[in-house]
Amino acid sequence: MARRSTMLSRRGLLTGAAAIGGAAALSGGLSACGAAGAASAANPDQLQFWTLLSGGDGGTMADMVAKATGSGAAYDVKTTTLVWGEPYYTKLAMAATGGRPPELAIMHASRVPGYAPGGLLDSWDIGRLAELGVSQDDFPEEIWKKGMIGDKVFAVALDAHPTVLMFNPEICDKAGVLDSDGRLRETESPEEFIDLVGQVGGQTKGVPPLSYGYLGDGSHMFRLFYTFYTQHGASMTFPEGGRAEIDDDIAVESLELMQTLLDGKLAVQRNDYAAALAEFATGRSGLLFTGVWELRSVKEAGVPFDMTAIPTLFGTPAAYADSHAFVLPHQNQVDEHRRDLTYRFVADLLKGSYEWATAGHVPAYLPVTQSPEYAKLTPQSHYADVAERVNYDPAAWFTGSASNFHSNFGNAIQPALMTGKGAPGAIDAFRTRVDRLLKTQNPVDPDGTWTP
C-alpha cells in the first residue's frame, strides 16, 4: 500500500465539514431565511444569492459576482455561502417552504428531480432568458435537458464538472504513450488501456502508475463505475415505487474492470482519495482518475500535468458529471422587479464564465467554450469536449451530489474493490439498496411541504 498522505483535497475537506457542521446549519435555518427576507425588503435592488461554493470555487464566484455588480449594474447582490452537502439542501428546502427564500441559488443539476416536482423551485421563462442572450442553443444538449422536468426548465447550468484522467506528460513521454501532439495515446478497449497503464508503470520506480482513491468515498466510486457503465451505451432507470432497472451484465463488467485496475501493481488496491491525489501531485504516479475541480490543487503543487477525457473503453464516449446550476427557489409572491434583476444577473454570470473555467470546470455556456480565448486555455481546452458526453446520476428524488445514494453505492461496492472478488454479489447488494429507496416516499410531498 502506498504511504498515506496528510494532503487533503478541497472536496474531502468540505465533505467533512458538512458532516461536522450539519446540526449547526440546520438549527440556524429559519433565522437565515428571515435575515434574507429582511435584507431584500430594505433594498429593492438587492438580490439574495445562496451558494454552497467554498475554497477556491467560492473565491472565483465572488470575483464573478463583483464584476457583474460593478459600476453601472442595475442590481446589488448579497451572497450567502452555506455548508456544502445535505445541510445546504435541507436549508434551501426549508427556506422555500417557509416563504423566505433567496431570489437565486446554486444547486447541483442532479438534485433537481428531488426538488422541482414538490414545488420547491420556480421554473425559468425561456423567452425571458432568450431576450438576454441565453437560449437552449447556447448549451450542450444533455446539459440543458438535465435542467428540465417535463417541458419546463428548472435549472440553468453554469458548468459541467466531469470525472477525467490527469496525466504527467514527462512520465508518460518517457513511457512512450504520448502522440505527436503530446496528448495521451488513444485507447479503445480495457485491454489497450491496461497495456498503456503498464507502460507508464515502467517509469514510476516501483510506485503503481495509476492513482485512484475510493475508500469511504461512495461518490468517487460511483463516478468511475458509472463512466464505464454508460460507455456501454447503457443507462439506469429508477421508477418511483418500482424496481431498479440495471443491466447486471454491464454493471458487473464495469465493476470488474475497476477491480482489475486495483490489483496492487497498476493501482494501489486500497487507497483513499487524499492519498491518491498526493501520489500524483508529488510526481510519484503518472495517471490519476479524478474530477476537474482538482485542477487548481494539482497546479499549485507544481507537478507537470495535463488532462483528458477518460478513454472510451466500451464503445460509447461517456463520462460521469454533474453541473452547478442556477435555480429559482419558490416564491409565494414573486416580486417581478427582483425577478427581472435575477434574470439579468444570471445572464451576466454566464457570459462572464470564462473566469469560472480557471477553476477547472467546463463552462456550460457555449459562446465561452467556443471562443478563441478559451481555445488558448490549457489544459482546460484539452477536455472541454467532455461536456458533450456527460451522464448524470439516474434521475430520482434520492440521487445526486451529496446524497445518501452515493453512500449506499459505496457500502455495497467497496468490499468488492478491496478484495477484488464478488462483483456480482456487490451489484445485487446495490440493487437491493436502490429498490428499498424506491419504496420510500420523497420527503418533498406533492403539495410542496418538506419533511426533514
Side-chain angles (χ1 to χ4, degrees), residues 38-47 76 338:
S40 293
N43 182 354
D45 295 330
Q46 185 178 79
L47 305 176
D76 183 26
R338 289 200 186 94

Side-chain angles (χ1 to χ4, degrees), residues 226 229-236 247 250 316 391:
Y226 205 56
Y229 183 92
T230 52
Q231 284 189 357
H232 286 81
S235 61
M236 294 181 186
D247 189 308
I250 290 176
T316 301
N391 287 272

Side-chain angles (χ1 to χ4, degrees), residues 70-92:
S71 178
Y75 49 77
D76 183 26
V77 175
K78 177 177 173 57
T79 302
T80 300
T81 302
L82 304 173
V83 176
W84 192 94
E86 280 302 331
Y88 175 80
Y89 285 109
T90 299
K91 184 176 281 191
L92 191 60

Side-chain angles (χ1 to χ4, degrees), residues 324-335:
H324 295 112
F326 298 111
V327 296
L328 301 169
H330 175 65
Q331 306 277 343
N332 291 334
Q333 294 182 325
V334 176
D335 182 317

Side-chain angles (χ1 to χ4, degrees), residues 194-215:
I194 290 168
D195 180 65
L196 181 146
V197 176
Q199 289 180 255
V200 176
Q203 302 297 324
T204 55
K205 302 178 181 179
V207 175
L210 173 64
S211 293
Y212 174 63
Y214 65 89
L215 291 175

